[in-house]
Amino acid sequence: MERGSFVLGHQLTSDQLNARILNYPTIAVPERKMTLNTSPVGIDRAILFDDGAYNNRDIQLIIGFEGKQADSNIQKFLSVLDTGKYIDFQMYSDPDYTYQVIRQSTGTIARPTYS
């Protein structure tokens, strides 16, 4: 994959959207899901149970869209993310790994100025 490129949901590529990831994403190691059980009577500390999974993590991306169809392409991008289920996402920074992503918060659409 070339710098800035991505594939969203096996159906939409950065080339189709005329878009690029503009920042190098910093991705934290996810936290392990553990259940803390403090209810048993007669023990002096809590019992930890490994839930066999990891918590979700946040990835913040800045994506630039170019061209006359930028507004339309932004809507296509968001509509794929707004399906209510996890979507496959591959990035240039980690091409051999497929992330399962959802959009959890608002996005900011900014119009940069050039001089």
Side-chain angles (χ1 to χ4, degrees):
M1 295 182 109
E2 68 181 55
R3 184 171 172 82
S5 64
F6 61 87
V7 178
L8 183 63
H10 299 296
Q11 59 187 348
L12 217 48
T13 67
S14 54
D15 290 335
Q16 290 171 322
L17 294 172
N18 202 16
R20 291 287 179 261
I21 298 172
L22 301 178
N23 65 320
Y24 191 85
T26 303
I27 302 170
V29 175
E31 185 177 321
R32 188 82 172 167
K33 285 187 179 181
M34 304 289 273
T35 301
L36 182 66
N37 186 351
T38 58
S39 62
V41 178
I43 62 169
D44 61 350
R45 63 179 175 248
I47 300 172
L48 290 175
F49 295 102
D50 186 353
D51 294 338
Y54 294 93
N55 288 325
N56 287 342
R57 52 193 162 169
D58 289 334
I59 301 172
Q60 295 183 6
L61 298 175
I62 298 171
I63 299 177
F65 294 84
E66 293 182 327
K68 293 180 181 180
Q69 295 181 331
D71 289 336
S72 167
N73 288 338
I74 290 169
Q75 292 308 314
K76 285 180 193 175
F77 179 81
L78 292 176
S79 68
V80 172
L81 288 175
D82 289 339
T83 59
K85 57 186 174 182
Y86 287 102
I87 302 296
D88 290 344
F89 184 68
Q90 290 179 296
M91 297 182 276
Y92 76 100
S93 59
D94 204 358
D96 297 325
Y97 188 80
T98 301
Y99 292 89
Q100 297 288 304
V101 299
I102 57 172
R103 186 169 70 102
Q104 289 185 290
S105 63
T106 61
T108 302
I109 299 174
R111 306 256 184 235
T113 58
Y114 298 98
S115 59

